[in-house]
Amino acid sequence: GAGVSQSPSNKVTEKGKDVELRCDPISGHTALYWYRQRLGQGLEFLIYFQGNSAPDKSGLPSDRFSAERTGESVSTLTIQRTQQEDSAVYLCASSLSSDRVTSPLHFGNGTRLTVT
Amino acid sequence: SQQGEEDPQALSIQEGENATMNCSYKTSINNLQWYRQNSGRGLVHLILIRSNEREKHSGRLRVTLDTSKKSSSLLITASRAADTASYFCATVMNTGFQKLVFGTGTRLLVSP
């Protein structure tokens, strides 16, 4: 079956512009996660959804970042007034349940964002 | 902030050799997971070990967990060139919000 799908795969934008990143999780997965990965670095947690509610937004780097999710499906991560330090790969993952995260996370291939 | 730290940061071996990667973490955990990432791709789940388990096997993978030392190791036996990737440990803490906190990763290069 289909895995986690992210679009676009690559995005180049000018500093100050807004961008919207999309994630289509695996059907039936209630939990959805966004992570950011800077070049050569580990993963930085951004936000987590259980269904369409976001119990923890503490990882969002600034108020320029926001995310929403429609039901238990598509999620969008929006970055307003992009800055060069926002350049990174944004990874989305979904899992069957969030119960102490004992279900493996399934990752998309990410969106590579470059802010010029 | 990242909970796990992998060691070494980079590892270069020949095909057929074993590769051992270590992960240390700071707080009490519910479980620890290992993931693999090929260049330019997302992460793929390899194995999950719970806090009450000490060792787990999956094919050529062997994972150990020592909660007293807050450390885990991933052993890949009889490595292949296709094992070349970055390997990350990720922990789920026992308290607070349930999310996976990733370490910094080990870059493994297996030469033919």
Side-chain angles (χ1 to χ4, degrees), chain B residues 74-112:
Chain B
L74 171 67
L75 168 68
I76 304 174
T77 60
S79 63
R80 306 166 183 168
D83 295 329
T84 295
S86 290
Y87 292 82
F88 293 88
C89 71
T91 53
V92 178
M93 289 179 276
N94 257 331
T95 58
F97 168 62
Q98 49 210 349
K99 65 188 179 190
L100 240 60
V101 179
F102 284 83
T104 51
T106 292
R107 293 186 306 280
L108 174 66
L109 173 63
V110 182
S111 301

Side-chain angles (χ1 to χ4, degrees), chain A residues 27-70:
Chain A
S27 178
H29 281 195
T30 57
L32 186 147
Y33 304 78
W34 283 98
Y35 286 87
R36 178 168 73 177
Q37 185 177 30
R38 291 201 166 100
L39 186 63
Q41 303 293 311
L43 274 70
E44 176 188 359
F45 171 81
L46 298 179
I47 190 170
Y48 149 75
F49 287 93
Q50 177 61 32
N52 63 0
S53 67
D56 187 340
K57 302 178 183 179
S58 64
L60 294 177
S62 75
D63 58 9
R64 296 186 296 105
F65 287 72
S66 63
E68 60 180 32
R69 186 180 185 193
T70 307

Side-chain angles (χ1 to χ4, degrees), chain A residues 33 35 37 40-43 45 48 55-56 58 91 98-109 112, chain B residues 2 30-31 33 35 37 40-43 45 48 50 88 92-100 102-104 107:
Chain A
Y33 304 78
Y35 286 87
Q37 185 177 30
Q41 303 293 311
L43 274 70
F45 171 81
Y48 149 75
D56 187 340
S58 64
L91 290 162
S98 61
D99 178 28
R100 288 298 167 198
V101 200
T102 54
S103 300
L105 266 60
H106 298 261
F107 281 83
N109 285 331
R112 181 176 300 278
Chain B
Q2 288 167 331
N30 176 277
N31 68 77
Q33 303 180 26
Y35 286 77
Q37 183 179 36
R41 309 282 289 181
L43 281 73
H45 179 265
L48 180 153
R50 297 175 193 272
F88 293 88
V92 178
M93 289 179 276
N94 257 331
T95 58
F97 168 62
Q98 49 210 349
K99 65 188 179 190
L100 240 60
F102 284 83
T104 51
R107 293 186 306 280

